[in-house]
Amino acid sequence: MLNIALSGCNGRMGHVITDIVAGRDNMQIVAGFDINTAKYADFPIFSDPFEFQGSCDVIIDFSNASSTEHLLSYCEQHHTPLIICTTGHSPEQLQKIRAASAAFPVFRSGNMSIGINLMSELLRKSAAVLGDQYDVEIIEKHHNQKLDAPSGTALMLADAVASALPYPAEYVYDRHERREKRPAHEIGISAIRGGTIVGEHSVLFCGRDEIIEIKHTALSREVFATGAVDAAVFMAGCKQPGMYDMNDVIASHAQ
């Protein structure tokens, strides 16, 4: 039996993950961590992970970037693998996450969808072929309650493109003060917030007389929850400290 602790259990994604786990065999949520401790399922909820006196095989975190450092301390003390699904971390927080992975296994991805991670690979291949002959623009759309902009997924896709371009790319988030033609070595990133959009990401390679668009649309939060639970299965069997991501999960499926 895979025992999971769920950080951010009373959020939207926490409830979806709870439903996903309930529908699978050989796994269960044994504790939830959330500032809102209202109980809605058959596991206890704690406002502080250190209040939990039981044990778990892995922690899934869909809470807030401000909670990450406290979770890192808990996982280091208990040697528990941590799956960080939360986005919006500062560079200093990301450095602390990388440093913590020397002591215990840490999984982090800008997006938990397998489709998005396959899209990242397509973008790397496209950028390698198209090179500096095409301008790259990224448009991301999310619901009006999302806090961070641009999304962690948009940055993840930009990084995938940039890693294969023949030049160091500059990420540009706002052009309204730029009174100049578009420089060649930009990656433009635009964020849209409205309604109940779950998540939509488009990457455009704009060349002379043609546009190539690679797009992913999430129709429900379940795609992210499923990826997080799949990551939990992978990480529960991972005993070596280090940084892991969805590419490792995809590789394990291919074996």
Side-chain angles (χ1 to χ4, degrees):
M1 180 68 73
L2 174 61
N3 293 321
I4 301 169
L6 179 57
S7 177
C9 60
N10 259 316
R12 289 189 184 93
M13 286 305 307
H15 282 245
V16 177
I17 288 174
T18 299
D19 291 340
I20 294 290
V21 172
R24 292 202 186 185
D25 296 328
N26 301 318
M27 64 174 61
Q28 62 181 349
I29 297 175
V30 296
F33 308 143
D34 203 296
I35 57 174
N36 175 8
T37 58
K39 188 173 180 180
Y40 66 93
D42 60 352
F43 55 82
I45 300 175
F46 304 94
S47 60
D48 187 328
F50 285 94
E51 295 174 357
F52 176 47
Q53 299 300 310
S55 63
C56 60
D57 300 307
V58 64
I59 296 175
I60 298 175
D61 174 38
F62 253 118
S63 59
N64 188 283
S66 62
S67 302
T68 299
E69 291 180 42
H70 198 55
L71 277 174
L72 292 174
S73 297
Y74 176 89
C75 291
E76 184 169 6
Q77 181 173 317
H78 294 82
H79 303 288
T80 305
L82 175 62
I83 300 168
I84 301 175
C85 309
T86 305
T87 59
H89 294 100
S90 68
E92 293 77 15
Q93 288 174 315
L94 292 176
Q95 179 54 41
K96 290 179 180 179
I97 291 170
R98 287 189 287 269
S101 70
F104 61 92
V106 178
F107 182 106
R108 179 180 173 272
S109 177
N111 189 293
M112 300 304 296
S113 160
I114 288 180
I116 280 287
N117 285 272
L118 290 174
M119 179 179 176
S120 295
E121 185 59 31
L122 290 174
L123 292 175
R124 277 187 285 269
K125 292 181 178 179
S126 299
V129 172
L130 301 176
D132 59 1
Q133 300 302 305
Y134 289 71
D135 298 325
V136 181
E137 293 286 321
I138 297 174
I139 303 169
E140 59 99 339
K141 305 175 185 178
H142 283 90
H143 54 87
N144 58 21
Q145 300 300 301
K146 186 169 178 61
L147 300 179
D148 54 318
S151 68
T153 301
L155 294 174
M156 170 183 163
L157 298 177
D159 289 345
V161 172
S163 69
L165 289 173
Y167 55 81
E170 176 192 4
Y171 295 0
V172 175
Y173 308 106
D174 187 356
R175 290 198 180 93
H176 83 281
E177 292 183 349
R178 292 195 174 199
R179 305 293 296 175
E180 61 183 21
K181 294 181 179 180
R182 184 191 194 280
H185 293 173
E186 285 186 3
I187 294 180
I189 304 176
S190 303
I192 294 172
R193 297 288 176 268
T196 58
I197 302 170
V198 175
E200 183 177 304
H201 293 83
S202 299
V203 180
L204 285 71
F205 292 88
C206 305
R208 185 176 178 84
D209 298 328
E210 69 173 355
I211 299 172
I212 301 167
E213 180 176 3
I214 300 176
K215 179 178 179 180
H216 178 274
T217 302
L219 300 178
S220 79
R221 291 181 175 84
E222 189 169 321
V223 295
F224 312 123
T226 298
V229 174
D230 288 346
V233 173
F234 171 79
M235 289 296 283
C238 179
K239 304 303 181 185
Q240 295 299 317
M243 289 295 302
Y244 300 87
D245 58 28
M246 282 303 290
N247 290 324
D248 297 298
V249 177
I250 292 171
S252 70
H253 286 172
Q255 292 176 356

